[in-house]
Amino acid sequence: MQSLVLAGGKGIRLRPITLHTPKPIVPIANMPLLLYQLELLRRGGVRDVVLSLSYQPQKIEDRIGDGSRSKVRISYAVETSPLGTAGAFKNAAHLISETAVVLNGDILTDVDLDAVIQYHKERQAAATIVLAPVPNPAGYGLVVTDPEGRVTRFIEKPKPEEVTCDTINAGIYILEPKLLDYVPEGEPFTFEYGLFPRLLELGERVMGFVWRGYWRDVGTPESYLQANLDVIAGRVSLLEAPNWMRPDTFDEKAEIDSLSLVDPSCTLKAGVQIVNSVVSRNCYIEDRARIENSLVRTGSRIGTAASVSNTVIGKGCHVGKSVIIGRGAVLGDKTVVTDYSRL
Ligand code: GDD
Ligand code: MG
């Protein structure tokens, strides 16, 4: 089984996190998002993965390499300008010769791919789309099915009055290679507005497979922070987050709750409290600082008695003494917050 991971989007909604880190390799609990996807694919029996890139491709190639760490073989299909989701599929046509698992590169899920592939084969579908039930489908692609699970309608980014069911396109597809023939060459084309509605018009068999387990689009800062917290809470049965350790640089009077993940390279001073948070490599947390429900990325410094809650702190930030910051704040890389500021 082959796979194509669509990892070429610009990650605009995830700015400023994606300004210097392309979305597919933003860290979730200290590991690039793509590594979770590669593990999902490996478990589903996929051995060959094509990464479809467009935005900051070199950074992704440098981080992921040939995939040997993830026990899959990786090849790259890089677009000179973005071709859209289906255009990216066409652009990789020379690398695709069999039924393929196609994944949006910004989702975190532990979907049972074996079950999806079996469902696809049993129903002899041309395409099977994994569907996730969500409370508010408006920001996604709504997918309507008949009682047998056959897709009858797609409404991408529906208006509130168009929402008639709660199942959305989860960005996971099993596609037969013959579908490549329906995608125009060298021009932008999407699955969501182009290929999928076209398949329905042509009477092709498109099935929906509902997944009620863990699923999340990591496309916004709120969702990105929540994905980190979900992994450390063990809600995603995919990769085990590495256990934090207590090296010498953690003052014995620093407190870290059992959910938090603090990289061993960090320095934590006396009275520090880390609650339900991820603190990445080489951070320096000064006396009595408190970090709760937050993500602190590599090389940041949090000042004495600062309070950080429900916040994403980018790489190399400096949060000053007694700063209070919370309620969904997102600091871009290298932000300096002066002493006593309140955000
Ligand atoms: N190679 C390549 N080229 N990849 C692309 C391109 C492109 O031109 N455009 C987007 N992608 C990748 C993105 O990197 C992302 O991984 C994936 O395709 C989906 O793009 P998003 O921009 O994240 O789309 P969305 O979140 O608004 O909506 C999509 O995902 C939802 C589920 O998360 C749609 O597929 C919706 O129907 C779906 O519900
Ligand atoms: Mg998305």
Side-chain angles (χ1 to χ4, degrees):
M1 184 68 62
Q2 285 188 298
S3 176
L4 175 76
V5 180
L6 300 166
K10 288 203 175 116
I12 290 171
R13 283 165 296 169
L14 198 48
R15 284 175 183 167
I17 296 155
T18 42
L19 281 181
H20 304 292
T21 311
K23 188 161 62 165
I25 53 167
V26 292
I28 310 273
N30 282 354
M31 277 178 292
L33 172 56
L34 258 174
L35 289 192
Y36 292 86
Q37 300 196 325
L38 296 179
E39 174 62 11
L40 177 82
L41 293 167
R42 190 194 63 75
R43 280 198 206 176
V46 172
R47 293 294 171 266
D48 286 294
V49 179
V50 181
L51 294 186
S52 164
L53 309 182
S54 170
Y55 177 71
Q56 300 189 343
Q58 198 55 48
K59 284 190 183 165
I60 301 176
E61 288 199 43
D62 290 348
R63 189 71 182 79
I64 304 295
D66 63 3
S68 42
R69 237 181 97 192
S70 303
K71 302 195 180 72
V72 291
R73 279 181 297 274
I74 294 205
S75 44
Y76 292 91
V78 180
E79 293 145 54
T80 41
S81 64
L83 288 170
T85 46
F89 181 46
K90 185 76 170 185
N91 187 53
H94 59 291
L95 298 166
I96 293 168
S97 53
E98 55 185 59
T99 310
V101 181
V102 176
L103 276 190
N104 280 357
D106 63 345
I107 49 165
L108 181 64
T109 179
D110 50 16
V111 63
D112 181 353
L113 271 187
D114 275 337
V116 186
I117 293 165
Q118 198 185 339
Y119 177 93
H120 174 83
K121 287 188 176 151
E122 278 169 11
R123 285 159 183 79
Q124 299 185 324
T128 296
I129 301 176
V130 175
L131 310 179
V134 294
N136 180 11
Y140 303 96
L142 194 76
V143 181
V144 186
T145 54
D146 72 12
E148 276 72 53
R150 194 165 173 161
V151 175
T152 55
R153 218 177 149 199
F154 291 98
I155 314 172
E156 187 63 24
K157 311 284 166 11
K159 300 189 188 80
E161 63 272 19
E162 290 177 310
V163 176
T164 53
C165 61
D166 69 347
T167 41
I168 59 120
N169 169 11
I172 304 156
Y173 320 122
I174 313 292
L175 304 180
E176 289 303 313
K178 69 170 184 182
L179 299 185
L180 284 162
D181 296 342
Y182 299 132
V183 183
E185 180 115 38
E187 60 179 87
F189 199 63
T190 67
F191 288 123
E192 296 84 350
Y193 295 98
L195 182 69
F196 292 155
R198 180 95 186 95
L199 293 180
L200 298 188
E201 282 164 22
L202 292 166
E204 289 280 8
R205 201 171 170 74
V206 181
M207 301 300 299
F209 176 101
V210 180
W211 175 247
R212 295 184 191 279
Y214 186 86
W215 181 87
R216 176 177 289 284
D217 177 323
V218 186
T220 61
E222 302 71 50
S223 187
Y224 171 61
L225 175 58
Q226 193 56 51
N228 277 272
L229 303 186
D230 289 345
V231 169
I232 60 172
R235 292 189 197 107
V236 194
S237 51
L238 207 52
L239 285 175
E240 292 290 315
N243 280 331
W244 60 268
M245 290 177 274
R246 186 175 279 273
D248 297 341
T249 51
F250 291 5
D251 189 285
E252 60 185 24
K253 294 194 206 80
E255 283 174 36
I256 305 169
D257 78 337
S258 62
L259 287 181
S260 294
L261 178 67
V262 179
D263 192 273
S265 59
C266 296
T267 300
L268 269 54
K269 306 301 287 242
V272 161
Q273 288 183 310
I274 312 278
V275 182
N276 194 33
S277 295
V278 177
V279 183
S280 306
R281 285 181 309 285
N282 300 320
C283 290
Y284 195 95
I285 317 295
E286 303 203 48
D287 302 67
R288 290 175 283 112
R290 179 179 166 88
I291 299 173
E292 184 168 6
N293 302 333
S294 294
L295 165 65
V296 182
R297 291 189 63 195
T298 305
S300 287
R301 191 179 187 104
I302 310 293
T304 302
S307 166
V308 173
S309 60
N310 303 299
T311 289
V312 177
I313 307 269
K315 288 193 276 186
C317 291
H318 188 159
V319 172
K321 183 158 97 175
S322 297
V323 164
I324 300 178
I325 178 169
R327 296 199 186 172
V330 184
L331 303 191
D333 295 350
K334 299 189 184 156
T335 299
V336 176
V337 182
T338 42
D339 295 351
Y340 301 102
S341 298
R342 284 155 192 254
L343 270 76

